Amino acid sequence: MIYETIASIATLDHGCRFTPLGVVRDGDMLYAWLYPGTTLYNATLGGCVVLSVPSDPIDYARVLFGEARTENQEYCCPTLSNPYLVIEARVESIEMDGYKKRLTLRPVRAAKVSDPEPFTRLASCLVELLIAYTRVKVFDDCSEKLAHYRSVEPCISFLERRARGEYLTWFKRILASINAHLDACRGVG
């Protein structure tokens, strides 16, 4: 099972960067796979990572487009504003896994901060679309880009039929960004 989080990681210049990050739990450890070109790809051994589980699923989109609200709390990096759960972890190991890096994260502490928003099919499809966007943005190979797009076509269809309000706004914005990255692969522009 992949748990979707918003990660903030300490940088060498004493700042912090935010990015959505899926993690897998195995016992007391968490694992994440990083693609080249992603925000956390240059994570360092022993570095601090703060994982925030959003109470609002739209926060995943806000982070990717640089519009998320963050708070400076008692962790090594700021957290997402109003998260459901916060986990502070240290990078225990970094291994190459093909062209990806596999991070092993050792949780140091965790805290439940608020109650979660119920996660709907709409939210799940929006998150899947965001994951496809991050991959389409990073990969150079058109066949990989188009494969990630095709993998979310059922979600696109569902969002076209059901999205309203803020979900519709974000759906249109994310889809336009994906299409902009796919134009060259489709022979447009």
Side-chain angles (χ1 to χ4, degrees), residues 85-111:
L85 177 69
V86 175
I87 301 167
E88 183 176 336
R90 297 283 173 199
V91 178
E92 183 83 5
S93 70
I94 303 171
E95 302 166 24
M96 288 307 294
D97 182 6
Y99 60 90
K100 299 175 283 189
K101 287 184 180 177
R102 180 178 183 245
L103 291 186
T104 302
L105 303 172
R106 178 177 298 284
V108 176
R109 59 183 167 151

Side-chain angles (χ1 to χ4, degrees), residues 53-133:
V53 178
S55 57
D56 180 356
I58 291 179
D59 277 337
Y60 294 107
R62 290 181 185 117
V63 164
L64 272 176
F65 287 86
E67 298 175 17
R69 298 174 315 279
T70 60
E71 295 179 352
N72 201 355
Q73 295 187 352
E74 69 272 10
Y75 302 97
C76 62
C77 275
T79 65
L80 188 65
S81 186
N82 192 34
Y84 161 59
L85 177 69
V86 175
I87 301 167
E88 183 176 336
R90 297 283 173 199
V91 178
E92 183 83 5
S93 70
I94 303 171
E95 302 166 24
M96 288 307 294
D97 182 6
Y99 60 90
K100 299 175 283 189
K101 287 184 180 177
R102 180 178 183 245
L103 291 186
T104 302
L105 303 172
R106 178 177 298 284
V108 176
R109 59 183 167 151
K112 180 180 179 249
V113 180
S114 68
D115 293 321
E117 189 71 29
F119 215 72
T120 63
R121 285 175 54 201
L122 201 60
S124 296
C125 278
L126 190 70
V127 168
E128 286 299 320
L129 192 63
L130 285 164
I131 292 166
Y133 166 67

Side-chain angles (χ1 to χ4, degrees), residues 9 56 108 155 167-168:
I9 184 168
D56 180 356
V108 176
C155 283
Y167 277 95
L168 181 59

